[in-house]
Amino acid sequence: MNAADRAERVPKQDRSRATRQRLLEAAVACLAARGWAGSTVSVVAEHAGVSRGAAQHHFPTREDLFTAAVEYVAEERSVALRALFPEGTAADDRRAVVAALVDLYTGPLFRAALHLWVAASNEEQLRGRVTELEARVGRESHRIAVDLLGADEARPGARETVQGLLDMARGLGLANLLTDDGARRERVVEQWARLLDEALGADRTDRSKLPALKGKKTIAGEAKSRKRS
């Protein structure tokens, strides 16, 4: 390949990545707004400003598109959550961590994921993929929560407490689908921050003894590892 060919190929690769990202973001937006029945490949392609053919080039099936979309946005949210709390600072304010985790379940990503879960419960070809995706997302969310809360899982009940927090946040997300009760969420967040201090220790775990997120598999990384095995 000569220099001219390489110069031409790079922009094409960039355009391809940009098109793929637009499709993923459009798929989540459509799924959150229209549900599974109203979110066809054609609808997503139109929302993304690309042709149906271009969409099918990146994602041959509807199931490919929507499972990849939820996985992509979940990964982006995980990165954003870590960025909110630079290493060494999160455990000093557990209330802020609880609030940030609750926010993960009250936005369009959770709404989109919920539609995908409901569709998977009725469609056999989708069920296995969504079940696997949910397991990966759940493990990554738990790892992030443990690290940000400064939790020592060797402490009796610590693991169950963190998982209870995530289950509570998911429940608030479900309630938020019908009514936006921000005031009640604030009170619940405050109470959970106090419960976490009692259960995990108000004296904050020494973070140097905790496994750092650096080097741990992300959701996308775990998926790639499974494909290689």
Side-chain angles (χ1 to χ4, degrees):
M1 182 184 296
N2 58 36
D5 290 336
R6 285 196 297 271
E8 182 180 357
R9 183 177 178 182
V10 171
K12 286 182 179 178
Q13 291 174 336
D14 288 343
R15 288 196 297 273
S16 179
R17 283 193 292 268
T19 297
R20 186 177 190 279
Q21 183 167 336
R22 288 203 306 275
L23 284 165
L24 292 172
E25 293 172 348
V28 170
C30 289
L31 197 57
R34 299 167 177 259
W36 175 255
S39 298
T40 63
V41 174
S42 295
V43 168
V44 172
E46 182 179 358
H47 191 86
V50 304
S51 68
R52 178 185 172 87
Q56 290 181 317
H57 170 74
H58 288 278
F59 304 102
T61 69
R62 187 185 186 199
E63 291 77 19
D64 289 336
L65 173 60
F66 286 104
T67 53
V70 172
E71 184 170 8
Y72 163 76
V73 181
E75 176 67 14
E76 290 295 297
R77 294 297 298 272
S78 295
V79 171
L81 184 59
R82 294 189 196 102
L84 284 175
F85 302 100
E87 188 174 353
T89 63
D92 293 330
D93 187 357
R94 284 188 176 134
R95 188 206 172 282
V97 175
V98 173
L101 290 170
V102 167
D103 285 345
L104 289 178
Y105 293 93
T106 55
L109 171 61
F110 180 75
R111 186 181 293 268
L114 183 61
H115 284 299
L116 196 62
W117 298 337
V118 172
S121 70
N122 297 315
E123 301 200 22
E124 189 66 33
Q125 73 273 22
L126 193 60
R127 186 178 306 158
R129 300 175 67 170
V130 173
T131 300
E132 181 183 354
L133 170 61
E134 169 61 14
R136 291 201 306 271
V137 171
R139 287 193 294 270
E140 174 72 357
S141 298
H142 187 92
R143 281 196 289 258
I144 292 174
V146 166
D147 188 78
L148 294 182
L149 292 166
D152 179 3
E153 291 196 292
R155 185 184 182 116
R159 179 176 180 81
E160 292 76 14
T161 299
V162 173
Q163 190 57 53
L165 167 64
L166 294 174
D167 291 343
M168 177 277 297
R170 186 180 290 110
L172 288 177
L174 285 170
N176 192 65
L177 292 174
L178 297 176
T179 58
D180 182 6
D181 191 356
R184 183 171 67 91
R185 279 204 309 277
E186 283 292 320
R187 294 193 298 272
V188 172
V189 166
E190 292 284 354
Q191 179 63 17
W192 262 93
R194 288 192 289 269
L195 291 173
L196 287 167
D197 276 343
E198 294 174 8
L200 303 180
D203 54 342
R204 301 297 188 268
T205 302
D206 181 356
R207 294 175 65 85
S208 66
K209 298 179 182 178
L210 294 175
L213 281 175
K214 186 181 294 184
K216 287 206 176 270
K217 292 180 181 178
T218 60
I219 297 168
E222 192 170 329
K224 291 177 183 176
S225 296
R226 292 178 66 90
K227 289 178 182 178
R228 286 196 296 267
S229 60

